Amino acid sequence: MHATRCVIPVIKSPKDYQVYRIGPNDSNRLAIIFDTANANTSLTCCVEIFDVGGQTPPNRHQWAVEMFFVLKGEGVAICDGKKVAIKTGDSLLVPPTGTHLIKNTGASRLYTLTIMVPNEDFSELIRSGTPMELDAEDMAVLGRVDALMPF
């Protein structure tokens, strides 16, 4: 007979997310949900928020797989020269070594749930940026308007 152990799950809501803008001229923010610093595992999971016209810089990962799930908005994803339109409900899986970028082509902010496994220094890069905040528009999209209310 083997011993089982129960691991207490970690639960977060948007008021707990730490938000950063990586570069001073970047047009997207990343709200970290789970990463190596707070979840003791090699993944990065965040909500990525793209201003109108905003995009990620072209980037690639040596080992990591990156998944984007579009929570709200529309845009284009480009990977190794292939361009595809994305909108609310779409999922995108970028393989290791694929040079890619996401661009907001819509009339409002684009929100993606972005997950990278393994972390490959992604959360460290995010956390090296400028701390930011989620605003009322962000909180409404993330479904927790109550998180703006003081306790």
Side-chain angles (χ1 to χ4, degrees):
M1 187 160 115
H2 67 280
T4 59
R5 75 190 169 113
C6 177
V7 177
I8 305 297
V10 179
I11 298 177
K12 295 227 171 179
S13 66
K15 66 180 172 46
D16 304 317
Y17 301 168
Q18 293 173 288
V19 186
Y20 298 89
R21 184 180 308 279
I22 295 173
N25 300 317
D26 285 0
S27 50
N28 63 320
R29 292 171 289 142
L30 296 112
I32 297 172
I33 303 171
F34 297 113
D35 71 348
T36 54
N38 67 20
N40 192 31
T41 187
S42 187
L43 69 73
T44 299
C45 178
C46 54
V47 174
E48 199 159 354
I49 304 161
F50 300 81
D51 293 334
V52 174
Q55 71 174 52
T56 60
N59 65 95
R60 67 190 293 271
H61 315 291
Q62 193 60 43
W63 305 284
V65 172
E66 191 168 15
M67 199 261 324
F68 299 86
F69 176 79
V70 182
L71 297 166
K72 181 175 190 262
E74 56 189 70
V76 297
I78 302 170
C79 185
D80 290 337
K82 297 175 198 73
K83 186 174 177 179
V84 62
I86 56 172
K87 64 183 184 324
T88 304
D90 287 344
S91 298
L92 175 72
L93 189 66
V94 177
T97 74
T99 299
H100 59 282
L101 68 86
I102 304 288
K103 179 173 183 166
N104 181 357
T105 58
S108 61
R109 289 181 185 160
L110 170 67
Y111 293 82
T112 65
L113 178 66
T114 302
I115 301 170
M116 193 158 113
V117 180
N119 173 56
E120 201 175 315
D121 296 327
F122 186 36
S123 71
E124 292 82 352
L125 175 66
I126 296 168
R127 289 178 181 277
S128 73
T130 305
M132 306 293 289
E133 299 288 332
L134 296 175
D135 65 18
E137 181 180 350
D138 301 330
M139 293 306 256
V141 168
L142 298 176
R144 289 298 298 272
V145 177
D146 65 305
L148 288 174
M149 304 299 159
F151 293 125

